[in-house]
Amino acid sequence: MTEIPPILTVRNLTVVFPDNNDGLRALEDVSFEVCPQEFICVLGPSGSGKTTLLRVLAGLYSPTTGEVEFGNGRTPRIGMVFQQSNLMPWRTAIDNIMLPLELKNADRVTARARAQELIDLVGLTGFESALPRDLSGGMAQRVAIARALIHDPDLLLLDEPFGSLDALTRERMWMELSRIWQARQPALGSPGKTVVMVTHSIEESLLLADRVLVLTQRPGHIRLDLEVDLPRPRKEEMRYTTHFGKLAKKLKDAIG
Amino acid sequence: MTKRLSSARYWLGLASLLGGLLLWWVVARIANLPAFILPSPTDVWSRFLSAALDGSLLFNTGVTLVEILLGLFSGAGLATLLGYLIAKSRMLERVLSPYLVASQAVPLVAIAPLLVIWFGPGMFSKVLICALIVFFPVLVNTVVGVRAVPPALHDLMQSLHATRGQIIAKLEVPAALPVFLGGLRIGATLSVIGAVVGELVGSDQGLGFLINVGRGQYDTALVFVAMFTLIVLALCLYGAVAWAERKLLAWQEIVQQ
Ligand SMILES: Nc1ncnc2c1ncn2[C@@H]1O[C@H](COP(=O)(O)OP(=O)(O)OP(=O)(O)O)[C@@H](O)[C@H]1O
Ligand SMILES: [Mg+2]
């Protein structure tokens, strides 16, 4: 795998927020590389800087020291799901989903068709013209997930996207996300999708990720960088295998 | 349910208006005051008909309406532009806010004569007064509205590499619209006052001019006619903005009630 250059390199990243004292250190000397099409999960206790890390990757914060470098030197197309669904209250569900394509001045008819596909995919058929105020938290979050996918981003940044979903929907979304992520088309020259996902759930990270990064309590820095060598496609039954149990134990110990 | 309720409200409103008219008629009748002090509704109605028929009412209403609309659009337009810039730049806010606060401390009625002296009794001075009176509420609400755009949505737009223009068109305008339109509604009502104050101070046309004429000739019925026309104008303007609010802000209907 060494011949493939990483799509994303984070080097000695430190983020300090200004406060009344000598600054609040959110991230401390974080370094890791992400290969193209890799699925990374970030675990860590609350306040360990997971959201901060994603926001740096999205270009919303700049590093205090250290650097973030993208493989081909250009910032990739980013699809981001925020911790809160973050929908525009004046737009209907489908119009919210179409926003990224609208910003690219894409053709409206194709954009609408694509948005409809995604609405069906996230199980919101019939709610196309519902306003965010009429959606439950979980439904709003699914709209946000569809919005992050519509412009076919190279890099998906997901901040606890399934936190507000019920167990059943969550498991279905896991499978859909795996499917979307695996639908890479190297033959067509598409670079495929790379995913960095923040989560609180060890199980979720083991069912989805190639690698799991565990951040320590504030200031966050990487305590464990764990390869998840479970076979794909992942099935939920794998939870009950001894290897899954071993990996889960390692993560649990690292989180502390 | 809601339909029945609103139609009941409508009939009640109408009945109350008719009751007021009746009361006015009775008072005018019983008190038996000369018409130049309190004309009866029938006096006012026949004066309305004569002013409508000789075209003077329509002409003067048109003049006032043009002043109002020109003043409203130019005042609100400038206020929106400046308000947006102020919302975006603390620097500009600090530089301008002493002037803005001071301008609010000066009662416009007091400087209206000055403006008429400087800019003549024609339409321009009225448009100017109108624009000045509209300016402040629209400015303040633009600043508040633009500042209140959720930062999380700014993050979203930035993560999607939206351009400056797209951020304005697709985020800031729709997000600031509710507060902005609230300011415009106040401005629309004030604009009528601005135009009439200007006309009362000095003019040879407009509804304020009609009021002056009526007063000078003890033609009090004409004063009433002009006054009622002004009320209708103000209500129409207010209604137009309220209608735009309902149309544009349907997404937050529940929040408003
Ligand atoms: N914009 C900011 N300004 C100041 N401090 C911030 C800012 N954003 C985050 N922080 C601080 O940085 C630390 C890390 O926050 P962050 O949101 O990254 O944690 P997190 O790991 O995502 O937590 P959670 O699991 O609760 O979402 C926290 O102490 C937080 O208060
Ligand atoms: Mg977070």
Side-chain angles (χ1 to χ4, degrees):
Chain A
M1 284 311 238
T2 39
E3 74 272 18
I4 306 171
I7 188 180
L8 168 65
T9 310
V10 176
R11 230 176 274 122
N12 308 109
L13 173 69
T14 296
V15 176
V16 181
F17 291 111
D19 67 359
N20 300 329
N21 311 324
D22 46 348
L24 187 148
R25 308 183 82 76
L27 288 172
E28 174 102 46
D29 197 23
V30 169
S31 300
F32 62 95
E33 288 185 347
V34 181
C35 297
Q37 298 164 20
E38 211 173 5
F39 196 129
I40 305 262
C41 273
V42 181
L43 277 174
S46 184
S48 56
K50 304 182 295 295
T51 298
T52 306
L53 176 63
L54 276 200
R55 294 173 67 88
V56 172
L57 297 185
L60 299 176
Y61 292 158
S62 37
T64 310
T65 60
E67 56 196 345
V68 173
E69 204 178 277
F70 292 103
N72 47 12
R74 288 190 305 125
T75 34
R77 248 185 311 191
I78 287 171
M80 186 155 183
V81 175
F82 296 82
Q83 207 162 348
Q84 274 78 36
S85 55
N86 209 0
L87 302 178
M88 293 181 167
W90 55 89
R91 282 177 173 245
T92 59
I94 198 161
D95 285 342
N96 264 295
I97 296 173
M98 282 163 65
L99 177 75
L101 287 184
E102 245 176 80
L103 297 180
K104 298 204 170 341
N105 302 312
D107 170 55
R108 262 195 94 72
V109 178
T110 16
R112 185 160 279 275
R114 177 93 187 94
Q116 186 62 53
E117 274 171 39
L118 284 165
I119 288 243
D120 298 341
L121 178 81
V122 297
L124 287 176
T125 317
F127 288 93
E128 292 81 3
S129 41
L131 288 166
R133 64 156 198 246
D134 297 328
L135 298 175
S136 72
M139 289 160 90
Q141 197 61 357
R142 280 181 277 160
V143 172
I145 292 167
R147 177 178 63 188
L149 291 172
I150 194 166
H151 56 307
D152 196 24
D154 313 310
L155 179 60
L156 263 179
L157 301 174
L158 312 174
D159 198 349
E160 299 186 38
F162 309 132
S164 55
L165 302 185
D166 62 285
L168 229 76
T169 316
R170 177 160 47 221
E171 285 175 13
R172 220 189 68 236
M173 296 300 295
W174 286 349
M175 295 309 130
E176 287 301 341
L177 180 59
S178 298
R179 206 179 54 67
I180 289 162
W181 166 71
Q182 276 176 327
R184 31 187 138 169
Q185 303 152 295
L188 295 173
S190 153
K193 290 197 195 326
T194 308
V195 182
V196 180
M197 176 169 131
V198 167
T199 170
H200 270 135
S201 154
I202 291 175
E203 185 187 31
E204 184 170 291
S205 67
L206 287 178
L207 280 176
L208 291 172
D210 295 319
R211 256 167 74 207
V212 182
L213 305 180
V214 179
L215 291 182
T216 61
Q217 193 56 265
R218 199 176 76 215
H221 88 134
I222 296 182
R223 165 166 296 167
L224 180 68
D225 185 339
L226 182 76
E227 194 90 25
V228 183
D229 48 359
L230 292 166
R232 285 188 190 274
R234 306 264 167 87
K235 304 240 168 47
E236 284 166 61
E237 302 89 79
M238 287 181 184
R239 283 182 251 210
Y240 311 111
T241 63
T242 47
H243 191 52
F244 190 101
K246 248 190 247 163
L247 294 174
K249 176 86 169 60
K250 267 190 201 168
L251 291 176
K252 192 147 183 53
D253 290 345
I255 295 168
Chain B
M1 170 72 193
T2 46
K3 207 166 206 165
R4 198 157 13 130
L5 212 76
S6 73
S7 94
R9 210 184 288 162
Y10 171 81
W11 286 114
L12 270 176
L14 198 69
S16 147
L17 273 181
L18 286 176
L21 266 180
L22 192 71
L23 190 70
W24 171 18
W25 184 75
V26 168
V27 168
R29 205 62 200 270
I30 292 173
N32 204 15
L33 293 167
F36 69 83
I37 294 186
L38 182 64
S40 76
T42 43
D43 296 336
V44 173
W45 176 249
S46 56
R47 190 67 187 86
F48 167 74
L49 286 182
S50 70
L53 286 177
D54 69 15
S56 63
L57 183 62
L58 195 64
F59 170 75
N60 287 299
T61 306
V63 168
T64 303
L65 187 63
V66 168
E67 289 165 358
I68 289 171
L69 290 181
L70 285 178
L72 185 59
F73 279 112
S74 57
L78 271 176
T80 308
L81 209 69
L82 194 65
Y84 184 79
L85 294 177
I86 287 177
K88 289 274 134 183
S89 152
R90 296 272 167 192
M91 235 290 267
L92 195 64
E93 183 188 15
R94 289 209 189 97
V95 171
L96 290 181
S97 61
Y99 293 97
L100 292 171
V101 172
S103 77
Q104 270 330 90
V106 178
L108 203 73
V109 185
I111 57 164
L114 207 56
L115 294 174
V116 174
I117 292 171
W118 286 345
F119 299 103
M123 245 191 195
F124 181 73
S125 56
K126 319 301 178 292
V127 173
L128 189 66
I129 294 167
C130 199
L132 281 174
I133 206 169
V134 167
F135 188 80
F136 201 73
V138 176
L139 179 91
V140 168
N141 281 44
T142 305
V143 175
V144 171
V146 172
R147 288 243 169 100
V149 176
L153 288 177
H154 270 293
D155 292 343
L156 171 72
M157 295 298 271
Q158 203 185 327
S159 78
L160 293 168
H161 307 301
T163 61
R164 187 74 250 150
Q166 287 174 329
I167 290 174
I168 295 176
K170 298 200 184 289
L171 173 59
E172 290 175 332
V173 168
L177 207 56
V179 182
F180 170 80
L181 285 178
L184 194 63
R185 189 151 34 95
I186 299 169
T189 322
L190 287 176
S191 68
V192 179
I193 297 176
V196 175
V197 163
E199 287 173 354
L200 284 175
V201 168
S203 68
D204 46 15
Q205 51 187 13
L207 289 170
F209 166 72
L210 276 194
I211 290 177
N212 269 346
V213 168
R215 197 188 52 188
Q217 302 176 346
Y218 292 99
D219 185 356
T220 309
L222 180 62
V223 176
F224 272 74
V225 168
M227 197 179 71
F228 282 127
T229 313
L230 278 171
I231 291 174
V232 170
L233 266 187
L235 286 180
C236 286
L237 273 177
Y238 186 91
V241 180
W243 177 83
E245 275 186 292
R246 259 201 317 282
K247 283 278 143 189
L248 293 170
L249 306 180
W251 57 272
Q252 60 160 16
E253 208 160 60
I254 286 176
V255 184
Q256 269 181 341
Q257 282 167 4

